[in-house]
Amino acid sequence: VTVFLVGAGPGDPELISVRGARLLGSADVVLHDSLARPLVALARPGAEILDVGKSPGSTPVPQSQINRLLVEHGRRSQRVVRLKGGDPFVFARGAEEVRALQAAGIENSVVPGISAALAGPTSAGVPLTLRGLARAFTVLTGHEDPANWSSGYAGALVALRGTIVVMMGTTYIRQIARRLMDAGLSPDTPVAAVRAATTRTEEICRSTLAGIDDVVLPSPLLFVIGGVAGIDLRPLAPNNNACPQW
Ligand SMILES: C[S@@+](CC[C@H](N)C(=O)[O-])C[C@H]1O[C@@H](n2cnc3c(N)ncnc32)[C@H](O)[C@@H]1O
């Protein structure tokens, strides 16, 4: 195998898998996302490091170019690691990269990572499932305007009576909350916003669907919606749950 898609985990460098860290430490070339940047410290000295991340403010590297770079380096190098935040197959375009490598006949393998969808709630002391309170969880992208949701989509989310995790929701979270309330979810439903989960800059604030306007935290940010979001099982229960006032 020459190209490994490696899940870097949610942010804390200790949360990459043992296999992922081993491959990263022996790679000749590392292509990484901006969220995976802290993990580059695990690469061996002398490895070629390419930042193909989409950091705010800079021009994003188009996916087609990333695919091309992977294929080029896959042909040239002994071992290439494509390091992606969280899990490579959760809202990360990992499938497209694997397909591009397959089409070029380049051997590849995927190393799973801990998705922020799971680590975010856990780090905030929120159990994604809980007997009697949440028997399912749904992870959705908030990247698209919920005005484009098909009819019945919001109703189906509410009917599951589980936990809803919204990733990439910074722009549309208010509209998403409104759609969910219109579909019958109580305005009092707890919401936990988790920023930069598992890193030193982690911030958590708790509100409700109706109070979602209070939640103004910078990226990377995810939202946990549902009864469990009102729970805080962190050992020291730090009193940092209030949303910053603006
Ligand atoms: C393009 S998606 C990539 C998801 C990634 N593949 C994963 O499995 O975690 C990026 C979004 O994930 C969420 N995210 C990633 N890391 C996060 C973190 N440490 N804390 C909170 N949210 C995070 C944010 O919603 C961010 O906008």
Side-chain angles (χ1 to χ4, degrees), residues 197-221:
T198 78
T199 73
R200 274 195 296 271
T201 53
E202 177 177 275
E203 277 179 273
I204 295 148
C205 88
R206 283 172 162 80
S207 184
T208 60
L209 266 190
I212 204 85
D213 278 341
D214 298 344
V215 182
V216 189
L217 292 175
S219 203
L221 180 65

Side-chain angles (χ1 to χ4, degrees), residues 111-130:
V111 181
I114 302 175
S115 176
L118 307 181
T122 300
S123 191
V126 173
L128 267 179
T129 65
L130 189 64

Side-chain angles (χ1 to χ4, degrees), residues 43 45 48 62 64 76 78 106-107 109 116 131 145 152 157 175 177 181 191 193 198 203 214 239-240:
E48 187 180 348
S64 55
R76 253 193 274 138
Q78 288 288 322
I106 293 169
E107 279 186 78
S109 175
R131 219 169 249 270
D145 187 343
L157 287 173
Q175 290 91 321
M181 287 188 280
V191 175
T198 78
E203 277 179 273
D214 298 344
N239 187 21
N240 66 346

Side-chain angles (χ1 to χ4, degrees), residues 131-153:
R131 219 169 249 270
L133 197 57
R135 298 171 68 89
F137 60 86
T138 309
V139 181
L140 54 115
T141 168
H143 186 58
E144 282 148 26
D145 187 343
N148 299 328
W149 284 0
S150 60
S151 69
Y153 186 88

Side-chain angles (χ1 to χ4, degrees), residues 10 35 85-87 90-92 115-117 167-168 194-197 219-222:
L35 285 177
D87 183 89
V90 177
F91 298 128
S115 176
M167 303 179 87
M168 295 169 281
V194 191
R195 164 187 144 68
S219 203
L221 180 65
L222 59 78

